[in-house]
């Protein structure tokens, strides 16, 4: 393959949970003109992207967003390292890999923290958060993942936020894999800090993360400890809001693409996008169950964009990945505790019913050719619930 020709990419069906398949208008935008980030054209682009980001985060006139060149992790880490004060502490609500990551981030920045371990794939009980906060002094912030992508579970942000506020704590929400396709709102849910990324349900290109909050909250960071130089939210806020220029050199093409993606996201609306992903997930899940494959979590706990599936008996993840990749489907391994038994399939991005139909046909063939049977038995979910939500 010569430089600049990437014929393979067009034909792959990405079932990994981001970066997702994007609309051709988003990909075209990536080839926008070369631009100096300290010229008025970039200021305009950045202001528009920040404003649209605040809108998709459900913010109102009180809110704004800081857009960072970096992955989703950088946005979450910028929020954690900047928002928790010197004498504060973080409760990391952990029901999966990304919840646990809050605790690791706190540790990396020398922030006092307590990890509320609920177990992977178990729902977050707001009463457990209440008890954890009631029993400890010095916790000022709660870190919660909206869509725990390690299992596919959607956590109840509004309920946890209410509990946190009743203890005088602020909430930092990792909405990296939910924003754009699940209901979440800075204003409606009273979220204090919301971290997201461009390349999952917002269907932009990889390379940008963002933190949305009230202007007052960003302003109040002025006297906070500077635990990081390049992830210092106050530095980025000052630069983007006051100087109308980014603090450091941004990924200009990713901004072009995010601008296009945000305008598509706002035109479609999160409700319609959720319905689109739900439709694909329903088709996928019922096809998997017909093949006798077990799906993790009861239907009502699953996000629209992700399905964790038990690896078929007699198969390794690597064999499954290789077999499907040969037919241009990219599946995704599960992490840590779930890695041995499960794999993950995303329904985020510009996927079509036809893609899902072909995926199921290829999977059926692979299983049949290997096992010599069509796997007629119906699967049960881990909780024994056979239905589909
Ligand atoms: C919920 C959640 N948080 C954070 C991240 C990290 O995002 P990134 O890989 O862009 O750093 C992911 C990535 O899948 C995620 O799903």
């Amino acid at each position: 393959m010569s430089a600049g020709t990437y014929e393979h990419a067009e034909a792959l069906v990405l079932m990994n949970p981001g970066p997702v398949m994007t609309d051709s208008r988003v990909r075209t935008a990536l080839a926008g003109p070369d631009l100096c980030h300290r010229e008025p054209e970039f200021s305009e682009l950045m202001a528009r992207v920040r404003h649209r980001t605040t809108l998709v985060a459900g913010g109102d006139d009180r809110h704004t967003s800081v857009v960072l060149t970096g992955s989703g992790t950088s946005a979450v880490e910028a929020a954690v390292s900047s928002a928790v004060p010197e004498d504060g502490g973080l409760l990391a609500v952990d029901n999966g890999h990304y919840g646990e990551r809050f605790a690791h981030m706190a540790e990396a920045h020398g922030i006092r923290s307590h990890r509320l371990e609920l177990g992977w794939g178990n729902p977050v009980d707001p009463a457990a958060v209440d008890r954890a906060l009631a029993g400890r002094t010095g916790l000022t912030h709660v870190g919660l993942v909206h869509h725990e992508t390690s299992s596919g579970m959607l956590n109840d942000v509004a309920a946890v936020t209410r509990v946190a506020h009743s203890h005088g704590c602020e909430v930092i929400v990792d909405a990296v894999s939910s924003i754009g396709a699940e209901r979440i709102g800075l204003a409606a849910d009273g979220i204090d800090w919301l971290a997201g990324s461009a390349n999952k349900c917002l269907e932009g290109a990889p390379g940008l993360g963002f933190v949305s909050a009230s202007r007052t909250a960003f302003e109040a960071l002025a006297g906070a400890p500077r635990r990081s130089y390049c992830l210092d939210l106050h530095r980025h806020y000052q630069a983007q809001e006051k100087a109308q220029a980014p603090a450091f050199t941004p990924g200009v093409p990713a901004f072009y693409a995010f601008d296009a993606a945000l305008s598509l996201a706002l035109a479609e609306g999160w409700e319609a996008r959720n319905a689109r992903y739900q439709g694909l997930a329903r088709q996928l899940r019922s096809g998997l169950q017909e093949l006798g494959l077990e799906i993790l979590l009861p239907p009502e706990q699953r996000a629209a964009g992700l399905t964790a599936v038990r690896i078929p008996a007699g198969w390794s993840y690597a064999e499954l990945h290789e077999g499907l990749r040969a037919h241009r489907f990219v599946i995704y391994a599960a992490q840590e505790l779930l890695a041995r038994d499960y794999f993950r399939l995303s329904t985020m991005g510009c996927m079509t019913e036809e893609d899902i139909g072909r995926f199921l046909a290829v999977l059926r063939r692979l299983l049949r050719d290997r096992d010599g049977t069509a796997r007629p038995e119906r699967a049960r979910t881990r909780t024994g619930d056979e239905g589909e939500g």
Side-chain angles (χ1 to χ4, degrees):
M1 186 189 304
S2 63
T5 59
Y6 303 101
E7 301 87 354
H8 67 280
E10 247 355 77
L12 291 177
V13 177
L14 300 184
M15 301 186 81
N16 51 295
V20 299
M21 292 184 289
T22 52
D23 189 278
S24 61
R25 285 163 283 188
V26 172
R27 290 194 304 283
T28 304
L30 279 168
D34 295 330
L35 190 59
C36 170
H37 59 292
R38 306 233 172 264
E39 291 297 314
E41 292 86 348
F42 189 78
S43 290
E44 258 174 54
L45 171 65
M46 186 181 69
R48 193 165 58 243
V49 165
R50 291 180 58 217
H51 177 63
R52 289 174 164 175
T53 299
T54 307
L55 294 180
V56 295
D60 58 29
D61 291 348
R62 293 165 297 165
H63 298 101
T64 190
S65 300
V66 156
V67 180
L68 305 170
T69 294
S71 73
T73 308
S74 68
V76 181
E77 187 161 356
V80 169
S81 60
S82 303
V84 183
E86 193 88 65
D87 57 353
L90 179 80
L91 178 72
V93 180
D94 168 9
N95 66 339
H97 177 84
Y98 295 100
E100 184 183 329
R101 203 177 264 191
F102 269 110
H104 293 316
M105 285 177 183
E107 191 187 343
H109 291 281
I111 296 169
R112 182 185 333 142
S113 70
H114 175 71
R115 184 165 148 202
L116 177 60
E117 274 189 78
L118 299 161
W120 285 42
N122 290 327
V124 174
D125 176 5
V129 178
D130 189 38
R131 283 192 298 276
L133 291 173
R136 280 169 193 84
T137 51
L139 295 176
T140 52
H141 288 71
V142 173
L144 176 72
V145 179
H146 185 207
H147 170 205
E148 181 45 83
T149 328
S150 54
S151 64
M153 178 170 291
L154 205 55
N155 290 324
D156 188 343
V157 168
V160 172
T161 301
R162 275 194 300 277
V163 168
H165 287 175
S166 76
H167 289 271
C169 292
E170 292 191 353
V171 177
I172 303 171
V173 176
D174 171 347
V176 166
S177 65
S178 57
I179 186 162
E182 299 286 351
R183 201 208 69 75
I184 188 159
L186 271 175
D189 298 329
I191 295 167
D192 301 287
W193 302 94
L194 182 151
S197 79
N199 63 72
K200 297 191 195 288
C201 305
L202 288 172
E203 303 187 0
L208 299 182
F210 57 86
V211 178
S212 305
S214 69
R215 279 196 178 72
T216 328
F218 280 114
E219 297 282 351
L221 296 180
R226 301 296 158 90
R227 296 188 177 97
S228 163
Y229 189 85
C230 76
L231 294 179
D232 174 2
L233 271 189
H234 191 257
R235 177 187 310 284
H236 287 284
Y237 170 75
Q238 286 288 104
Q240 297 187 12
E241 180 82 5
K242 305 285 159 61
Q244 302 287 313
F248 314 119
T249 311
V252 175
F255 265 88
Y256 286 139
F258 199 24
D259 193 26
L262 284 165
S263 94
L264 294 172
L266 288 166
E268 185 175 11
W270 78 263
E271 295 94 336
R273 189 161 289 186
N274 178 269
R276 174 158 65 82
Y277 289 10
Q278 288 286 3
L280 295 168
R282 258 196 309 277
Q283 182 190 357
L284 176 67
R285 292 164 186 170
S286 68
L288 292 168
Q289 287 180 317
E290 272 166 28
L291 291 174
L293 299 182
E294 180 195 302
I295 298 172
L296 187 70
L297 306 180
E300 68 280 3
Q301 292 175 354
R302 299 175 198 150
L306 194 109
T307 304
V309 193
R310 187 178 278 281
I311 297 170
W315 288 77
S316 68
Y317 171 74
E319 290 167 337
L320 204 56
H321 177 271
E322 195 184 324
L324 289 160
R325 183 65 178 75
H327 294 272
R328 298 191 170 271
F329 291 99
V330 177
I331 63 168
Y332 211 54
Q335 295 150 300
E336 299 169 49
L337 295 181
L338 295 176
R340 205 190 53 162
D341 296 327
Y342 288 87
F343 66 105
R344 292 177 292 167
L345 298 172
S346 159
T347 35
M348 302 172 192
C350 293
M351 202 174 288
T352 63
E353 287 176 17
E354 198 206 328
D355 291 330
I356 302 281
R358 281 194 304 114
F359 170 79
L360 290 168
V362 167
L363 182 59
R364 179 185 299 276
R365 247 193 345 266
L366 282 180
L367 298 181
R368 190 193 51 213
D369 291 352
R370 166 74 97 76
D371 300 357
T373 72
R375 305 181 143 261
E377 79 282 13
R378 280 185 66 81
R380 307 180 76 79
T381 63
R382 206 174 68 167
T383 57
D385 183 341
E386 284 191 47
E388 176 52 42

